[in-house]
Amino acid sequence: MSTPDAGSPPTDELPFFVYGTLLPGEPNHELFLRGRTSGERPAVLPRALLYDGPGYPYAIDGHGRVHGTLLTAAPGVYGELLGLLDHLEEYLGPGHPRNLYERVVREVELPGEGAPGTGEGQEPPAARAWVYLAATAVTRSLRTSGSVIAEGRWVTGRPPGGPRTP
């Protein structure tokens, strides 16, 4: 079972920001998250781009916004969930050359959860979360020959009625 990496910022069991096959209604949500979350709410990863991948998307640092869901682990399963997601995302440790994704801490926005009395022009509240971003080699390849999902939404990045991937 994986635990937060030594030398990384304190995590205090951070929630997870997901944006692809782990979203509600997607196949990996049922397989990996059912019964392991206590909260799920819409969230946005600012300063990121979403790229189409081989049946799943990749997020990288960039000038856009990625829409997804902020997941909170159910009591008592945080370590199990962290290990499952690290395995699914092929994350072996910080900077490991065989990583498909890097697990990093980012601030995500929580749209629609403004404090009472906040008007337009106000920044939405934010939360720190684990995010799986494409690893360095994958990012390099995406930047040179990848296909950006313009709206930053995985569900709009696939053709209607397209195949559901594992």
Side-chain angles (χ1 to χ4, degrees), residues 24-122:
E26 293 291 328
N28 283 336
H29 187 275
E30 181 70 17
L31 291 170
F32 292 91
L33 300 175
R34 184 176 180 191
R36 294 185 177 102
T37 65
S38 63
E40 300 180 3
R41 55 189 171 174
V44 175
L45 177 63
R47 297 172 300 284
L49 293 171
L50 193 62
Y51 279 83
D52 202 11
Y56 46 86
Y58 293 102
I60 68 169
D61 288 326
H63 59 276
R65 297 167 59 78
V66 173
H67 297 266
T69 299
L70 187 68
L71 307 170
T72 303
V77 301
Y78 186 84
E80 174 191 2
L81 184 56
L82 184 65
L84 284 169
L85 295 180
D86 281 354
H87 179 75
L88 174 68
E89 305 295 4
E90 297 182 40
Y91 171 73
L92 303 172
H96 194 285
R98 290 194 339 245
N99 282 350
L100 185 60
Y101 291 89
E102 289 286 341
R103 176 170 35 92
V104 297
V105 176
R106 291 288 190 271
E107 290 254 332
V108 297
E109 298 171 355
L110 304 171
E113 294 194 19
T118 56
E120 286 202 26
Q122 298 283 328

Side-chain angles (χ1 to χ4, degrees), residues 148-163:
V148 174
I149 298 173
E151 301 84 19
R153 292 181 194 272
W154 171 238
V155 293
T156 60
R158 292 178 290 149

